Amino acid sequence: MNKVVLQLVKISARMLVLVILFALAVVVGRGSYQMGYRIYTEPAMSDSNSAKAVSVQITEGMSDREIARLMEESGLCKSEVLFFVQLQLSEYKNRIKPGLYTLSTDMRAEDIIAILGGKNPDEETEES
């Protein structure tokens, strides 16, 4: 009788571990998907009707992480972490130019990053 109870306890413990691992995988997977989705679809902080001009100073030697923090503190993005990841995935990674920039809250992160990287905002992109 004790052997049967011991076997049931072992099986129950293994099943509990599997259920916990499955739940953890679902939570991590959902979070990863949401972050990945937001990297490429995050809207601007405001629409063009309620946009505000914001001046930011990028200084020599600022890291990409410090720049992302500045963007969040200035109200140009919702998430420092998300902006940092977007910057790391862009062609402007570690290539932000120091200077005083006037940006707008109706700009998307990719546009802000391009301007900080030295792209002229009035340039039109070439389409192949």
Side-chain angles (χ1 to χ4, degrees):
M1 182 75 164
N2 285 339
K3 287 184 179 184
V4 173
V5 171
L6 186 59
Q7 283 296 92
L8 285 174
V9 169
K10 284 182 181 180
I11 291 171
S12 297
R14 286 182 185 154
M15 289 183 65
L16 180 61
V17 168
L18 288 175
V19 167
I20 290 171
L21 289 175
F22 178 76
L24 183 62
V26 167
V27 169
V28 169
R30 180 180 293 163
S32 297
Y33 173 80
Q34 289 172 346
M35 177 65 128
Y37 182 80
R38 287 182 62 197
I39 287 171
Y40 298 103
T41 62
E42 189 73 5
M45 290 293 287
S46 62
D47 60 21
S48 57
N49 296 331
S50 60
K52 297 177 187 172
V54 178
S55 292
V56 293
Q57 178 74 44
I58 305 295
T59 58
E60 187 73 39
M62 279 181 92
S63 69
D64 288 349
R65 191 167 299 281
E66 291 169 324
I67 293 167
R69 185 175 307 117
L70 177 63
M71 294 302 116
E72 182 182 22
E73 290 170 354
S74 300
L76 293 166
C77 70
K78 291 178 186 164
S79 167
E80 168 189 339
V81 173
L82 183 62
F83 190 92
F84 176 74
V85 171
Q86 290 168 319
L87 181 53
Q88 295 306 295
L89 294 174
S90 78
E91 64 185 275
Y92 300 103
K93 175 183 177 182
N94 298 318
R95 293 181 30 207
I96 301 299
K97 303 192 181 312
L100 179 64
Y101 296 91
T102 301
L103 304 169
S104 177
T105 57
D106 70 344
M107 298 172 79
R108 294 188 56 203
E110 64 189 44
D111 300 323
I112 292 171
I113 291 168
I115 290 170
L116 297 178
K119 182 178 178 185
N120 184 343
D122 297 326
E123 288 179 3
E124 291 195 20
T125 56
E126 268 184 43
E127 295 202 18
S128 318

